[in-house]
Amino acid sequence: MRTYSLGSVFKGLFWLLLACALAGLLVGQLAWALVGGLSLYLAWHLRQMARLQQWLSNHQNDPPPDTRGVWGDIFDSIYHIQRRDSRMRAKQQLVIDRIQASTAALSDAVVMVDAKGRLEWWNHAAERLLGLRAPDDSGQHVTNLLRDPRFVEYFEANTFREPLDIASHLNPNAHLQYTITHYGQGERLLVVRDTTRLHNLEQMRKDFVANVSHELRTPLTVIVGYLETLQDSEEPVNPRWKRALQQMQQQARRMQNLLNDLLMLARLENDNGLIEQNPVDVSQMLQSVTQDARALSAERYHQIRLEAEPGVCLRGAHEELRSAFSNLVFNAVKYTPDGGEICVRCWRDDGGAHVSVSDNGAGIAAQHISRLTERFYRVDSSRSTNTGGTGLGLAIVKHVLLRHNGRLDISSTVGQGSIFTCHFQPNRLA
Ligand code: ADP
């Protein structure tokens, strides 16, 4: 394709004017000949502009009008750009169609939610699992259609660190896992999986542990009762048996603690994430927990300090929160050498409410920290056994915090001590 530069445009204009000047000189009307030539030139350009405008507005997909010179060039260039764009668009559409087709074929529900929380697009599985109907539900706010309070709370918290597992609103026997991811400019992608099978298996495991713990509790209470009676008996006990009885009682107590912790965990896991929403005065609760810790420390003379901002109140379950804070404070007593310092703090700020328990005990090596909240995980099992630990305390803390949309931070330095901090989101403040 021949291209016309600005130089060639001026050259054309020059030759036209020269021809007009010569013709003007011949007839003795130089000025009129130049004016006439320029007018013709202008008229030609105006006509080409009008053709361009007409072509662009009405016949974009047709080949451009046939013309010469610089305008021919302009028409051809625009036509080429348009052809390239439409080829690109077709390719992109093909990719979009393929993505949509594959997403539509997914067995997991995929729902696109805009920055204002309104439904934009969903696949077939979303209709099956969530009961969404196209086109009626398009543009509706997601919480108008998925109204389970736990989902509403999860959606509005807008953090989405962990997936949410709840029963389906369409079929109470089915279980769904909701995962939300941020993308674009405030948009959210909701992926929902049917986890019924997994949930049923998990439920069987939980029920088994809960039932075994429950069944073992009664015989154990009887054994502990008899051991106490034997120890308190007036009749002289053979010295060889005395030590055996003491050890049996100690181990039976450990088993009782273990069963209590297992039952507590089973309870926390079993009530489907629904918790009480009573106002709990954390500052006051920590006062009584530190008093209990002082009693536990007794002759080990720990210095237990409480620095609690007054009036920090959370919405939640009193007993669960007490159990979580007690576990942290009692751990500090158990794992800090005699006379060590323990500080319990509680404060609130823009990030919500926070409770921390720090000690200057033995500390925990970095490789253990991420595993501490696993059930039965112990850093030093001989030490934990001596302290009567069950290995379930921090698992309970983690569960309680999860149920209150909180999180546990652990930082520790070997030889210097540890800090366990519970963070609660601002929407948990009462
Ligand atoms: P346990 O009943 O054994 O105390 P936990 O789940 O409460 O179980 O704690 C898990 C492990 O974490 C403990 O066995 C202990 O090794 C370690 N740990 C917990 N708290 C502290 C602490 N304040 N200082 C040092 N180690 C700790």
Side-chain angles (χ1 to χ4, degrees), residues 287 289-299 302-306 329-330 333:
Q287 259 178 15
V289 171
T290 37
Q291 259 165 22
D292 292 350
R294 284 189 190 110
L296 178 73
S297 166
E299 276 148 35
H302 292 104
Q303 295 165 42
I304 304 176
R305 236 176 36 243
L306 173 65
V329 182
F330 294 172
V333 173

Side-chain angles (χ1 to χ4, degrees), residues 343-361:
C343 184
V344 182
R345 292 190 180 87
C346 162
W347 71 101
R348 56 188 284 174
D349 56 22
D350 294 344
H354 316 268
V355 173
S356 79
V357 180
S358 56
D359 63 61
N360 64 351

Side-chain angles (χ1 to χ4, degrees), residues 331-332 334-335 359 363-364 372 377-380 384 389-395 418 420:
N331 271 354
K334 284 194 292 185
Y335 299 109
D359 63 61
I364 306 157
L372 285 182
Y377 189 85
R378 292 175 175 122
V379 176
D380 175 350
S384 305
T390 60
L392 293 172
L394 292 179
S418 319
F420 291 77

Side-chain angles (χ1 to χ4, degrees), residues 205-225:
R205 177 192 65 78
K206 287 177 196 166
D207 288 348
F208 176 74
V209 175
N211 290 339
V212 169
S213 313
H214 194 74
E215 292 301 325
L216 284 176
R217 217 148 75 143
T218 320
L220 199 61
T221 314
V222 175
I223 294 172
V224 171

Side-chain angles (χ1 to χ4, degrees), residues 229-248:
T229 321
L230 277 173
Q231 277 208 313
D232 296 346
S233 115
E234 306 265 290
E235 289 170 33
V237 180
N238 183 334
R240 273 171 56 208
W241 282 107
K242 207 169 175 131
R243 193 170 145 64
L245 280 176
Q246 254 173 10
Q247 281 193 347
M248 280 157 76

